[in-house]
Structure formats: C-alpha cells, structure tokens
Amino acid sequence: MSQTMRAISYARHGGPEVLAEIETERPEPGTGEVLVRVHAAGVNPADWKIRTHGGFTPMGDPAILGHDVSGTVEAVGVGVTLYQPGAAVFGMPLFPRQAGAYAEYVVAPARHFVPKPDGIDHIQAAALPLAALTAWQSLVDTARLAPGQRVLVHAAAGGVGHLAVQIAKALGAYVIGTASAAKHAFVRGLGADEVIDYTAVDFTEAVGDVDVVFDAVGGDYSARSLKVLRPGGTLVSINTPDEPELLAEAARRGLRAGFTIVEPDQAGMRAIATLVTEGKLRVEIDSVFDLADAAKAHEYGERGRTQGKIVLRVAQ
C-alpha cells in the first residue's frame, strides 16, 4: 500500500480558489482506531465557513476539510473488535476537530463509525452523517420531540432541513416546513404536512401554536420564531450562537431556546441507519463532484440554492 494519499488542502483562508490537491502522508491507525479508505465525502456549509475564516474548528497540518465519511475499513488498530478490514462504514468522526474527509484515507476512533446500510451506496451514505446527526440530536436530544407535537422546520428543502422533516415525521410529529414555492412539492414528498412559502408570506403570521422550531437559517429567524411557539415550546438553532437578548426573551415567554452543535454519536448514527433501512429516511443528492473538483463544489454550494446535499466522489 502506498504511504501517501491524495487530499484537498488550503494554505490560507479565502475563497474556493484556495483549495488545492496535494500529496500527503497516509495516516496509520492507533490504539482503538480504524483506517478507512474513503469512497465518498459529504460537503457541508461548515466546510466553506472553516475554509473562509477558520471558525472554532482546530485544523491540522496540512489542513484537510470534511467530516462526512463513507468508505471501507482498510486496517484496524490495537484493541479494535467492532470492525475488520473490508467492512463498509460511515460516520462523522472527530468533529469539531479535523477529520480530513476530503482525502483518500481517514483515521478515527472505531466507535465514530457505524455499518453502512446495505440499501444505499457510498455517495448517499456520505451525505448523511453531519446533517442527519444535527437534525437527530436537535430534535431528539435537545427538543425531546414527542409524537403528536407540532414542529416547524426552517429551510426544509436544504441539506439539514430535508432530513429534519423526515426524522420529525418518523417520530410522529406534525411537520410544517418553510421553503420557496418551487420546492413545495419536494418538501411535501418528504412527509411535511404543511409548507409555507417564506418569500411570499411572513411565517410568523402563517403558523402558530408550535411545540418545536428547528432553525437552520439563522439571522433574525430565531428571534422571529419565538412568536410562533406555544408556552413551554422549544427553539433549537444550529446557525446562530446564543445571544443574551434572545435567551432573555425566550425566558420571558416561558420558552426554551438555544444554539446546539453536533457531536460524534454512535447511538445517533445507528438510529439514523435504522431509519434508512426501514425506508423512513432518504437523503436527496443535489450534485456529485470528483475530489479534484472540491473548489467547484464549494463555489456551487455557497450560492445557497441546493436541494439536498453535495458529495465528493473520492474512490472511482
């Protein structure tokens, strides 16, 4: 096996043009770790935010983006009993530390991966982990969504939103989504009970008496969303860090509100894999780019018009 690998890196922060293919040392699995040959890597808004200004994510040397991985176990470290070489796995390893999914190989703790469902390919599997875990942890762990509750999902056609709609339906909720008119049929096809055209109407006037709001938009959406929650309701934001004014207003209204960030979660990944196997969760693939075209994938994604997920094909 070659001791080097292809990867996408950047030497400075900036636009998509800073991304370049490099040849770098292939990692080796340590105790409790697995070496995964990457077949596909998901592309997320977090990737271009890190590329642009760094954010809160500690990066390595070289800096290699990407956290969504689907591939096959190439080698295992001392003490690993979950997997053997050849096992097909997917996951979101190491977040928020560098996982380096935009590369031919990734090393991470074995329990940051779960078996890939047989019914989906590596492209589909790579599109799931970060977005699906974000929705799962927000709705299940933070909001404690219960059957029969009303949930409003903002950006319901987006990479995270379209998975949140399906997870909420699988949990037995009544789901309302916001999306442009052109995407209403898509969102209804995911199981949404109602869809609001946010470009034509103010969602605060179109919906109310909501138990949970899942905000994947940020900006003023979180503050405005407090108006549609019933007493005791929960607002979960994944884009806007906690603001004292927002938290104070939520408390005044008798609401829970806060910013949540996704974490590696084997139990959550297994629950997501089960939903996929049961046909209750499917990921929409907007587009697929080759690894060498990562800059083009970022340029496309930053336009903000995707329906579903962008994925990099790593292994041909």
Side-chain angles (χ1 to χ4, degrees), residues 147-214:
Q149 289 189 321
R150 289 164 55 85
V151 58
L152 173 62
V153 177
H154 288 306
V160 178
H162 87 288
L163 298 172
V165 167
Q166 297 174 76
I167 289 171
K169 284 302 294 184
L171 295 171
Y174 182 92
V175 181
I176 307 157
T178 62
S180 61
K183 297 178 180 178
H184 280 204
F186 170 66
V187 176
R188 288 188 182 278
L190 299 171
D193 299 284
E194 296 180 37
V195 190
I196 298 168
D197 182 0
Y198 69 92
T199 68
V201 299
D202 183 344
F203 73 85
T204 65
E205 298 176 358
V207 65
D209 203 30
V210 170
D211 295 284
V212 175
V213 174
F214 178 73

Side-chain angles (χ1 to χ4, degrees), residues 70-300:
S70 184
T72 55
V73 174
E74 189 81 16
V76 301
V78 174
V80 173
T81 57
L82 279 181
Y83 306 113
Q84 295 299 317
V89 297
F90 74 131
M92 185 201 71
L94 300 174
F95 192 88
R97 291 184 292 135
Q98 174 171 302
Y102 291 14
E104 291 181 304
Y105 293 93
V106 162
V107 154
R111 293 180 185 272
H112 284 196
F113 297 96
V114 300
K116 181 184 72 65
D118 292 335
I120 59 174
D121 60 23
H122 286 291
I123 295 292
Q124 294 167 308
L128 280 166
L130 190 148
L133 270 181
T134 297
W136 178 267
Q137 291 173 0
S138 297
L139 295 173
V140 175
D141 301 333
T142 302
R144 300 189 289 274
L145 185 65
Q149 289 189 321
R150 289 164 55 85
V151 58
L152 173 62
V153 177
H154 288 306
V160 178
H162 87 288
L163 298 172
V165 167
Q166 297 174 76
I167 289 171
K169 284 302 294 184
L171 295 171
Y174 182 92
V175 181
I176 307 157
T178 62
S180 61
K183 297 178 180 178
H184 280 204
F186 170 66
V187 176
R188 288 188 182 278
L190 299 171
D193 299 284
E194 296 180 37
V195 190
I196 298 168
D197 182 0
Y198 69 92
T199 68
V201 299
D202 183 344
F203 73 85
T204 65
E205 298 176 358
V207 65
D209 203 30
V210 170
D211 295 284
V212 175
V213 174
F214 178 73
D215 178 19
V217 177
D220 67 348
Y221 265 63
S222 288
R224 293 167 61 203
S225 292
L226 296 179
K227 301 176 183 178
V228 309
L229 284 164
R230 63 174 56 165
T234 301
L235 165 68
V236 182
S237 171
I238 64 169
N239 274 334
T240 305
D242 291 337
E243 299 172 350
E245 298 83 0
L246 175 68
L247 299 181
E249 178 62 17
R252 188 185 70 78
R253 292 172 177 259
L255 306 171
R256 292 198 305 138
F259 169 71
T260 186
I261 189 167
V262 67
E263 304 171 54
D265 177 2
Q266 190 189 50
M269 282 298 302
R270 288 189 179 276
I272 289 162
T274 297
L275 290 179
V276 171
T277 299
E278 292 176 348
K280 297 177 180 178
L281 183 65
R282 62 178 177 84
V283 64
E284 177 80 1
I285 304 298
D286 180 281
S287 52
V288 179
F289 293 81
D290 288 334
L291 178 64
D293 293 325
K296 294 179 181 178
H298 278 219
E299 182 180 358
Y300 174 69

